[in-house]
């Protein structure tokens, strides 16, 4: 709980594999994801009792912790489908997605790119995804380019609330990315570090 941007409630979805008896596998994410829509909706209703919505209509801002698991492409896509649906219904907007130390590959990166694009609503820039943590996965240069393209087509860096611009914080170290193939696709305002 707690107060978020413009009257929104801050919520954390905690699926961190280090806090469980065993890490969640790809099929666990696929099975769990449809239930997240109802759980987040119910949590928002409970937290918002007696409060008004934010000026953008979004009721909650989410941090999604799913690091240290065995989430693959199917699980990442299922999770992102639910997160897009929550945003489209103005129930919740993702602030940060933590999927580091998983098995996400290029297909999962495409699902995350859909999340970045679908949640970048013009006029509601403070509700755009701010952080995506994908280190220690199996994403190749192709998946990385898909993520860069989604951010660029969504007009990142986004206008920042206090003025200036805010980038998408995108972590991709320790993946299967060929840096030589990637550097020619980097947006001009990004710097790849080896």
């Amino acid at each position: 709980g707690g107060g978020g941007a413009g009257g929104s409630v801050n919520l954390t979805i905690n699926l961190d594999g280090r806090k469980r008896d065993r890490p969640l596998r790809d099929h666990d994410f696929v099975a769990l994801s449809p239930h997240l829509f109802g759980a987040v909706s119910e949590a928002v209703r409970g937290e918002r009792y007696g409060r008004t919505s934010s000026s953008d209509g979004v009721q909650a801002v989410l941090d999604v912790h799913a690091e240290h698991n065995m989430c693959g492409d199917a699980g990442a896509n299922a999770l992102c489908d639910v997160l897009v649906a929550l945003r489209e219904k103005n129930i919740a907007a993702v602030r940060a997605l933590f999927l580091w130390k998983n098995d996400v590959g290029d297909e999962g990166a495409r699902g995350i790119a859909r999340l970045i694009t679908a949640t970048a609503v013009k006029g509601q820039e403070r509700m755009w995804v701010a952080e995506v943590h994908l280190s220690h996965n199996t994403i190749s240069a192709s998946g990385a380019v898909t993520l860069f393209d989604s951010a660029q087509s969504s007009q990142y860096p986004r206008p920042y609330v206090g003025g200036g611009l805010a980038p998408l914080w995108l972590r991709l170290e320790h993946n299967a990315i060929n840096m030589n193939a990637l550097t020619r696709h980097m947006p001009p305002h990004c710097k790849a570090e080896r």
Side-chain angles (χ1 to χ4, degrees), residues 78-136:
L79 179 61
C80 288
D81 287 347
V82 170
L83 297 173
V84 167
L86 287 164
R87 180 63 183 98
E88 288 174 344
K89 298 287 186 188
N90 280 333
I91 296 169
V94 176
R95 187 195 71 77
L97 177 62
F98 300 89
L99 270 171
W100 50 280
K101 285 203 175 178
N102 275 283
D103 295 321
V104 178
D106 292 343
E107 283 301 312
R110 281 188 259 294
I112 296 162
R114 277 194 322 275
L115 172 69
I116 292 167
T117 302
T119 59
V121 178
K122 293 285 180 209
Q124 299 179 11
E125 286 82 1
R126 65 192 184 86
M127 294 296 175
W128 290 14
V129 177
E131 300 177 33
V132 179
H133 299 263
L134 296 171
S135 67
H136 301 85

Side-chain angles (χ1 to χ4, degrees), residues 3-165:
S8 299
V9 174
N10 291 327
L11 293 176
T12 299
I13 296 174
N14 194 344
L15 303 171
D16 185 335
R18 296 170 296 184
K19 301 187 186 316
R20 311 185 60 76
D21 292 339
R22 66 169 179 78
L24 294 172
R25 292 175 177 79
D26 199 39
H27 67 272
D28 295 324
F29 277 92
V30 171
L32 173 69
S33 290
H35 302 285
L36 286 176
F37 188 92
V40 170
S41 299
E42 187 175 314
V44 167
R45 276 194 304 275
E47 287 286 330
R48 295 209 49 79
Y49 181 74
R51 297 186 198 183
T52 59
S53 291
S54 72
S55 59
D56 342 67
V58 175
Q59 299 175 45
V61 177
L62 295 176
D63 283 354
V64 182
H65 284 271
E67 63 267 25
H68 278 270
N69 284 295
M70 295 178 194
C71 181
D73 293 337
N77 279 308
L79 179 61
C80 288
D81 287 347
V82 170
L83 297 173
V84 167
L86 287 164
R87 180 63 183 98
E88 288 174 344
K89 298 287 186 188
N90 280 333
I91 296 169
V94 176
R95 187 195 71 77
L97 177 62
F98 300 89
L99 270 171
W100 50 280
K101 285 203 175 178
N102 275 283
D103 295 321
V104 178
D106 292 343
E107 283 301 312
R110 281 188 259 294
I112 296 162
R114 277 194 322 275
L115 172 69
I116 292 167
T117 302
T119 59
V121 178
K122 293 285 180 209
Q124 299 179 11
E125 286 82 1
R126 65 192 184 86
M127 294 296 175
W128 290 14
V129 177
E131 300 177 33
V132 179
H133 299 263
L134 296 171
S135 67
H136 301 85
N137 279 287
T138 61
I139 299 167
S140 75
S142 173
V145 167
T146 300
L147 291 161
F148 294 152
D149 288 348
S150 71
Q152 201 162 25
S153 70
S154 299
Q155 304 299 310
Y156 281 90
R158 63 187 167 86
Y160 190 66
V161 175
L165 297 174

